[in-house]
């Protein structure tokens, strides 16, 4: 296994391919051993052979792509964790794509737990700050389409009453202004979400706090806004995930 990995790594260093003899020499393998491993790797599609030269195959490229995706996800997770620790609140990152609310990452800790998803976030976008913030970034047709698929329903006694009231509320949201909600999704919790402009994709970062700490919400939002500039690079790459 280790010898095969050495061959793969060696091939990866040669963008224009390399012959077996060169690969054997550079990896320190006996030529018969190198030939045997190269044939096996070609058979398994980790390598391909063209005119006596070896190149990375489809299977190896899929592995490389998976590794790059994990690295991008890791960058987002690390960025949110730094933000969480700096502000002292749970931090959420979400997108609206393909007609759905997609919670990309949640960063919390035992001391500052995130809101429990007791009702599907995708179906209750009208009730939480993340959903309201994302919907406020859509055009009217897209908003109505979403609400046709996920009608407004009472989640708590504080939830917006109906679709018409929600649409009116969303129309009043100022561009790039934070969206707040108080106990509309979960009793005892207040939340705020900030819209993010990443190309044409609607995105948001959000925070939550126990309602008995509601006075911390707006100062925490201001700190989140101050952190945004350092976070955008990491968040932008997540669009391709």
């Amino acid at each position: 296994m280790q010898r095969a990995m050495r061959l793969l790594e060696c091939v990866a260093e040669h963008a224009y391919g390399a012959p077996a003899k060169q690969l054997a020499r550079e990896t320190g393998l006996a030529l018969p051993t190198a030939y045997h491993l190269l044939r096996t790797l070609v058979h398994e599609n980790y390598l391909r052979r063209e005119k006596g030269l070896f190149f990375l195959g489809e299977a190896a490229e899929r592995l490389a792509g998976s590794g790059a995706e994990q690295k991008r996800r890791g960058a987002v997770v690390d960025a949110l964790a730094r933000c969480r620790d700096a502000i002292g609140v749970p931090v959420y990152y979400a997108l609206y794509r393909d007609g759905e609310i997609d919670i990309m990452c949640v960063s919390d800790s035992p001391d500052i737990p995130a809101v429990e998803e007791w009702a599907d976030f995708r179906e209750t976008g009208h009730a939480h700050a993340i959903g309201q913030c994302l919907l406020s970034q859509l055009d009217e047709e897209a908003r109505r389409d979403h609400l046709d698929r996920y009608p407004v329903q009472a989640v708590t006694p504080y939830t917006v009453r109906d679709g018409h009231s929600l649409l009116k509320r969303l129309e009043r949201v100022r561009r790039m202004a934070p969206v707040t909600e108080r106990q509309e999704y979960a009793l005892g919790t207040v939340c705020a979400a900030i819209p993010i402009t990443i190309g044409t994709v609607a995105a948001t970062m959000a925070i939550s706090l126990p309602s008995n700490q509601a006075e911390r919400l707006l100062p925490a939002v201001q700190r989140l806004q101050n952190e945004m500039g350092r976070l955008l690079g990491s968040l932008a790459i997540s669009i391709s995930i």
Side-chain angles (χ1 to χ4, degrees):
M1 181 66 176
Q2 289 180 335
R3 293 180 298 181
M5 289 301 297
R6 279 158 55 193
L7 278 171
L8 282 173
E9 291 171 355
C10 191
V11 172
E13 293 174 358
H14 296 280
Y16 300 101
K21 289 183 178 180
Q22 180 180 355
L23 294 170
R25 183 175 64 254
E26 292 181 1
T27 56
L29 295 174
L31 188 57
T33 300
Y35 271 127
H36 172 71
L37 291 172
L38 289 168
R39 283 195 298 268
T40 301
L41 291 169
V42 168
H43 178 73
E44 298 295 336
N45 291 323
Y46 286 100
L47 294 179
R48 57 185 172 86
R49 186 178 184 181
E50 295 181 10
K51 299 179 180 180
L53 301 178
F54 291 90
F55 302 82
L56 290 180
E58 292 182 2
E61 289 172 352
R62 285 197 298 271
L63 284 176
S66 176
E69 178 177 317
Q70 290 180 354
K71 186 174 182 179
R72 291 195 297 269
R73 287 185 182 277
V76 174
V77 171
D78 291 345
L80 262 65
R82 290 194 297 271
C83 191
R84 174 203 66 205
D85 293 341
I87 305 175
V89 295
V91 181
Y92 311 74
Y93 172 50
L95 308 175
Y96 191 89
R97 55 183 175 184
D98 300 325
E100 301 290 350
I101 293 170
D102 188 356
I103 308 295
M104 298 290 291
C105 185
V106 178
S107 186
D108 65 351
S109 71
D111 295 331
I112 44 173
V115 177
E116 181 182 354
E117 187 180 357
W118 71 275
D120 193 319
F121 278 143
R122 294 174 301 174
E123 299 178 5
T124 56
H126 60 280
H128 49 72
I130 288 173
Q132 292 176 25
C133 186
L134 292 173
L135 292 174
S136 73
Q137 297 176 61
L138 306 180
D139 59 32
E140 183 177 355
E141 181 179 356
R143 289 176 192 167
R144 292 185 180 276
D145 172 73
H146 183 90
L147 295 178
D148 285 343
R149 290 180 289 116
Y150 301 115
V152 171
Q153 55 182 316
V155 181
T156 76
Y158 301 95
T159 307
V160 63
R161 291 172 179 257
D162 52 58
H164 178 73
S165 300
L166 177 66
L167 289 171
K168 287 295 184 183
R169 178 192 295 186
L170 295 177
E171 289 174 1
R172 293 195 296 270
V173 175
R174 292 181 291 109
R175 178 174 172 78
M176 305 313 293
V179 175
T180 61
E181 63 90 356
R182 298 172 185 270
Q183 305 191 84
E184 292 184 52
Y185 175 79
L187 293 176
T189 302
V190 296
C191 302
I194 299 173
I196 304 173
T197 300
I198 303 179
T200 59
V201 177
T204 184
M205 286 188 66
I207 59 174
S208 63
L209 282 166
S211 55
N212 61 6
Q213 299 179 31
E215 73 282 355
R216 293 181 55 206
L217 188 64
L218 292 182
V221 168
Q222 292 174 350
R223 291 196 62 186
L224 180 61
Q225 289 174 314
N226 293 337
E227 294 285 330
M228 293 294 290
R230 290 188 288 272
L231 293 172
L232 283 180
S234 297
L235 298 181
I237 63 174
S238 71
I239 297 297
S240 61
I241 296 176

